[in-house]
Amino acid sequence: DAKTTQPNSMESNEEEPVHLPCNHSTISGTDYIHWYRQLPSQGPEYVIHGLTSNVNNRMASLAIAEDRKSSTLILHRATLRDAAVYYCILRDGLNFGNEKLTFGTGTRLTIIP
Amino acid sequence: KAGVTQTPRYLIKTRGQQVTLSCSPISGHRSVSWYQQTPGQGLQFLFEYFSETQRNKGNFPGRFSGRQFSNSRSEMNVSTLELGDSALYLCASSELTGRDQYFGPGTRLLVL
């Protein structure tokens, strides 16, 4: 599986935007970029995913570099409830039958009131 | 729809015992995956079941096994428990669209 690299931790002030980076320099052309987050004492939850174009949903936006070797998860207005560990994961689009998620260490996001 | 449910939520066992954990996926989801989460190793994939067949397996010893029933409910079993098996065991279900998986709250296992 292609690997991802994320900062171990980040801090952000409440009600400000947060940009969470992820590097994936060995990404293949068929790899989708997925983001999950794990709130304290909960299982991970899906946030967003994309292939080449930037994506938006009600939770966040995903900005993908033109060469696809990096991406950024954007939380437009962080709240205390967004404090979690955020995981950037690559999934092979040619192998949708493979449900295995390979989690890295993720980024622990702390929100400062 | 009800979410993924896991039972029990907490469990204490002693070394050498065995344990069975249960997972009920979201209605209509036929794929169930299991993960182990520890502070040292993070989230690691155990195995995945679809239509009662194991389709994918992680790098865990044979003491870890699982199965899936015709109603898609899944169980995982750990035999001859070791102290290092203390972890949060998470179950996830999906519709095999390659998009999102839904995780349960996990079973926290403590081996003494």
Side-chain angles (χ1 to χ4, degrees):
Chain A
D1 295 332
K3 291 187 66 173
T4 63
T5 304
Q6 301 175 250
N8 287 334
S9 62
M10 289 184 63
E11 287 185 351
S12 179
N13 293 320
E14 193 177 10
E15 298 187 4
E16 289 188 356
V18 182
H19 291 236
L20 296 162
C22 180
N23 287 321
H24 28 78
S25 58
T26 60
I27 191 170
S28 75
T30 57
D31 282 336
Y32 282 74
I33 302 157
H34 287 244
W35 284 81
Y36 280 74
R37 72 179 185 179
Q38 187 172 19
L39 303 172
S41 303
Q42 295 188 27
E45 65 174 345
Y46 167 83
V47 177
I48 200 168
H49 79 283
L51 182 62
T52 55
S53 304
N54 295 343
V55 184
N56 300 297
N57 66 20
R58 63 173 182 81
M59 288 180 70
S61 295
L62 176 60
I64 301 172
E66 199 168 326
D67 64 4
R68 301 208 328 123
K69 292 186 176 183
S70 66
S71 60
T72 303
L73 179 70
I74 302 166
L75 307 179
H76 294 287
R77 195 164 164 270
T79 69
L80 295 177
R81 288 166 44 178
D82 291 320
V85 179
Y86 287 79
Y87 296 97
C88 170
I89 299 167
L90 301 181
R91 295 189 69 187
D92 184 359
L94 290 182
N95 195 10
F96 274 160
N98 180 3
E99 296 299 275
K100 173 184 175 182
L101 294 175
T102 300
F103 288 86
T105 54
T107 297
R108 182 173 298 277
L109 176 64
T110 301
I111 305 298
I112 302 167
Chain B
K1 277 186 184 178
V4 177
T5 58
Q6 293 187 244
T7 56
R9 292 293 311 278
Y10 303 92
L11 206 49
I12 300 175
K13 292 285 188 179
T14 56
R15 277 183 301 174
Q17 288 187 309
Q18 74 164 23
V19 67
T20 299
L21 311 181
S22 179
C23 171
S24 292
I26 290 173
S27 177
H29 287 192
R30 292 163 61 193
S31 170
V32 174
S33 300
W34 289 89
Y35 293 82
Q36 181 197 63
Q37 186 171 27
T38 61
Q41 299 297 318
L43 271 155
Q44 292 187 289
F45 174 80
L46 279 157
F47 28 64
E48 185 234 340
Y49 287 86
F50 176 76
S51 291
E52 302 177 64
T53 301
Q54 186 183 90
R55 299 199 308 165
N56 208 346
K57 190 177 190 305
N59 204 18
F60 279 80
R63 300 184 298 106
F64 291 82
S65 63
R67 60 178 174 166
Q68 186 180 34
F69 302 95
S70 58
N71 61 359
S72 294
R73 190 177 69 85
S74 178
E75 289 181 348
M76 68 161 281
N77 184 278
V78 187
S79 62
T80 319
L81 284 166
E82 301 177 359
L83 296 180
D85 297 333
S86 294
L88 180 66
Y89 290 89
L90 291 156
C91 164
S93 76
S94 75
E95 296 175 281
L96 288 186
T97 60
R99 290 165 49 182
D100 43 350
Q101 293 187 27
Y102 295 84
F103 282 80
T107 294
R108 188 165 295 281
L109 171 65
L110 176 62
V111 182
L112 301 175

